[in-house]
Amino acid sequence: MGLVRMALLWRSHARKRLVHWPESVDERLEILVRQVIAEGGDTSAAQVLGALVALCPTDPEKVTQLVKEYRQLHEEEFRTQIDPVGLPELRRRGPRRKPRD
């Protein structure tokens, strides 16, 4: 009997989603990507987000608790939890956006 090959989740059909969140959360995502790269991994922000969502608890009480804790975080304290010094810089892909005035 032959083996059934299952598709890897991270390589399955993709969907784009616009996410509106605080700048400091976006900076944290970039730091997480840089940490993976520093450990010798090859990843992207989409893969880090995918991993976090795919492996997040699915128990409604646990997810609700995570959201409640997120809503109680203080920005300045949050920004200082990870020091990005020494992490590799990310290469930007695609066209650069112009900063807003």
Side-chain angles (χ1 to χ4, degrees), residues 57-67:
T58 57
D59 178 327
E61 289 179 18
K62 290 180 181 178
V63 175
T64 301
Q65 186 60 37
L66 287 173
V67 172

Side-chain angles (χ1 to χ4, degrees), residues 19-28 70 75 78-79:
V19 178
H20 180 82
W21 58 15
E23 192 173 284
S24 55
V25 172
D26 195 62
E27 291 168 0
R28 171 71 65 92
Y70 167 73
E75 184 178 18
F78 177 79
R79 285 181 179 269

Side-chain angles (χ1 to χ4, degrees), residues 5-87:
R5 291 200 160 214
M6 298 178 84
L8 295 174
L9 177 60
W10 75 277
R11 290 185 170 174
S12 63
H13 180 72
R15 170 182 275 175
K16 291 185 180 185
R17 179 170 300 270
L18 176 64
V19 178
H20 180 82
W21 58 15
E23 192 173 284
S24 55
V25 172
D26 195 62
E27 291 168 0
R28 171 71 65 92
L29 175 59
E30 184 171 306
I31 290 170
L32 294 174
V33 172
R34 291 169 64 192
Q35 287 178 324
V36 172
I37 292 169
E39 289 293 315
D42 179 26
T43 195
S44 65
Q47 288 178 4
V48 170
L49 286 171
L52 293 172
V53 171
L55 300 174
C56 178
T58 57
D59 178 327
E61 289 179 18
K62 290 180 181 178
V63 175
T64 301
Q65 186 60 37
L66 287 173
V67 172
K68 287 179 181 178
E69 290 176 26
Y70 167 73
R71 290 178 176 168
Q72 298 299 314
L73 294 172
H74 295 275
E75 184 178 18
E76 290 306 315
E77 186 178 319
F78 177 79
R79 285 181 179 269
T80 62
Q81 290 177 346
I82 297 179
D83 184 5
V85 173
L87 293 175

